Every structure is written in C-alpha cells, then in structure tokens.
Amino acid sequence: MIPYVKQVKDELLPQLSIRSLDPYEPVEVVFVPKPWRVVGAGNYAAVLLHPAEPDRVVKIYAEGRPGLPDEIQVYRKLGCHPAYSECYYADDTFLVLKRLTGVTLYECLRRGIRIPERVITDIDKALDYARKQGLNPHDVHGKNVMMIDGRGAVLDVSDFLKDEHCAMWDDFKRMYNLFYKPLLLRVTVPIPNPLLNMLRKGYRIIRKRGSS
C-alpha cells in the first residue's frame, strides 16, 4: 500500500487537474497524467485507476467540495460487506478504495443490458445493512448502484451520514416495477442517453418543487 500511496502523492496529485462548476453535475477532469485514467466522476470527486493496480482506485475530491471526512466515517461503519467497496487508506484529499467492477444500472438502461430482480433485491438488502450500522442511505440512484456478475452493489456511499430522507432509490424501484419489469425486462431495449439525461434532470426539478 505504501508504494501505491507514494505514487498517488508524487505522480498523480501534482499534475491532476479537477474542477467542479456545478454541485449538481459531475466534476470535470481537465488533465490526468499517464498512465492513470478516469473510471468515474461524481458531483464532488473523481475516481482514477492505475493500470498496474487494477483492484484499487483513488477517489479524489475537487477543491472546495465537502464530504471526504464523512465518507471515511461511513466506510468505517460499513466494514466489510460484499455489496460495498472498502477504504484501504485515507488522506486529506483522497481515498484509496477497493475497486468495484461492474455496470451501473444507468448504463444498463442506456445500453439495453437486462437488470434482473435479484440485483434490486441485493441493493435493498445492502441498504438495510447500512441502516443497521447507524447510517442513512442517501443519493442512491441509477448511477450510484451497479450490477456485478448478476448481483447488486452500491457504488457511492459518500452521503450516508446525511439526516434527511432520500426517496431516489424508492422512486427507481417504483419505475422498475411499473415500467421496466413489464415492458423492458425481456426485450432489453436501449434507452438513448439524451432521453435518460432529460428524465434525470426532470426528476430533479420535480423533487425540488415537491420539497419546497
């Protein structure tokens, strides 16, 4: 672990450029030094991979974005669970995490990959487990959960210390049961990315109006 962390501090961080223009949109990775590559980007942080270390990733928060201390605490509470990543190392600006290799449910919809009911059930059980550890699953949506070898996993736990109720996962399940399961589960028709983005932004607007 020590050589890997040294690589992050000496080779990656001095050259990496990340910016966050909108807290409701993914961060923008402006420059990544080779051979590192971006494998994901959330609203506060980017996740990067070194090809020599395929089983771990670095999650680096954009300057001025909150959440890293909370995320460390969440991983401590979660411990070891098959539906979650693990935190191997934490610093002031980044985390070293176990890599979860799969396809997000958002990508499944976009690419027409079948999402079996077992995946939904696995994620439900994982969220129940988190609640038993004193956490509050929050911001659980299609881009933050994934399918790994036909099983469900939770990709992002950074907001699990927030107090307010979050209905995103309940809404996703509602849409799955009402529309996906009867109409798309067997035919697996890809949903165009512009349509998915329109639905995502429309959902955010409706949620904001409903909470005001």
Side-chain angles (χ1 to χ4, degrees):
M1 180 60 66
I2 293 177
Y4 183 80
V5 171
K6 191 174 187 303
Q7 271 189 312
V8 173
K9 292 183 176 181
D10 295 347
E11 300 174 13
L12 176 60
L13 292 182
Q15 300 183 65
L16 181 68
S17 177
I18 301 176
R19 63 185 179 187
S20 177
L21 302 178
D22 185 338
Y24 296 105
E25 294 293 338
V27 299
E28 180 182 349
V29 182
V30 181
F31 179 79
V32 180
K34 294 180 179 181
W36 295 87
R37 63 183 179 88
V38 179
V39 294
N43 293 350
Y44 295 160
V47 180
L48 296 101
L49 171 75
H50 192 289
E53 299 282 352
D55 295 327
R56 64 186 76 175
V57 291
V58 186
K59 183 172 183 178
I60 303 176
Y61 275 69
E63 185 176 358
R65 289 300 173 201
L68 190 145
D70 286 350
E71 188 165 359
I72 294 172
Q73 187 176 345
V74 170
Y75 276 114
R76 285 175 180 164
K77 286 178 175 288
L78 287 173
C80 183
H81 188 280
Y84 293 100
S85 177
E86 294 179 52
C87 182
Y88 297 139
Y89 178 89
D91 207 327
D92 292 338
T93 57
F94 69 90
L95 306 170
V96 177
L97 304 173
K98 180 180 77 173
R99 184 187 181 195
L100 298 179
T101 54
V103 185
T104 67
L105 299 197
Y106 180 91
E107 276 297 302
C108 288
L109 294 174
R110 191 181 71 84
R111 292 158 55 183
I113 299 172
R114 180 175 175 269
I115 305 173
E117 288 187 76
R118 183 171 65 176
V119 171
I120 306 299
T121 301
D122 286 343
I123 295 169
D124 269 340
K125 290 180 179 179
L127 299 181
D128 285 340
Y129 167 81
R131 293 184 187 99
K132 291 176 182 177
Q133 311 313 308
L135 298 168
N136 180 35
H138 195 280
D139 200 33
V140 182
H141 53 77
K143 288 187 175 182
N144 283 345
V145 290
M146 66 178 1
M147 181 168 62
I148 305 174
D149 296 328
R151 304 306 298 261
V154 182
L155 187 60
D156 189 351
V157 300
S158 57
D159 288 328
F160 276 30
L161 287 183
K162 289 188 174 180
D163 292 331
E164 65 264 26
H165 174 69
C166 179
M168 285 185 175
W169 178 243
D170 290 335
D171 289 342
F172 185 95
K173 286 194 301 178
R174 189 175 295 112
M175 294 302 102
Y176 178 92
N177 290 319
L178 287 176
F179 299 108
Y180 183 87
K181 191 162 65 172
L183 300 176
L184 299 175
L185 184 57
R186 295 184 179 182
V187 295
T188 58
V189 176
I191 302 176
N193 202 51
L195 178 57
L196 284 173
N197 280 330
M198 183 178 70
L199 292 173
R200 178 176 63 89
K201 292 179 179 179
Y203 169 83
R204 187 190 305 152
I205 292 171
I206 292 171
R207 271 291 163 196
K208 280 185 178 179
R209 289 177 178 173
S211 61
S212 61

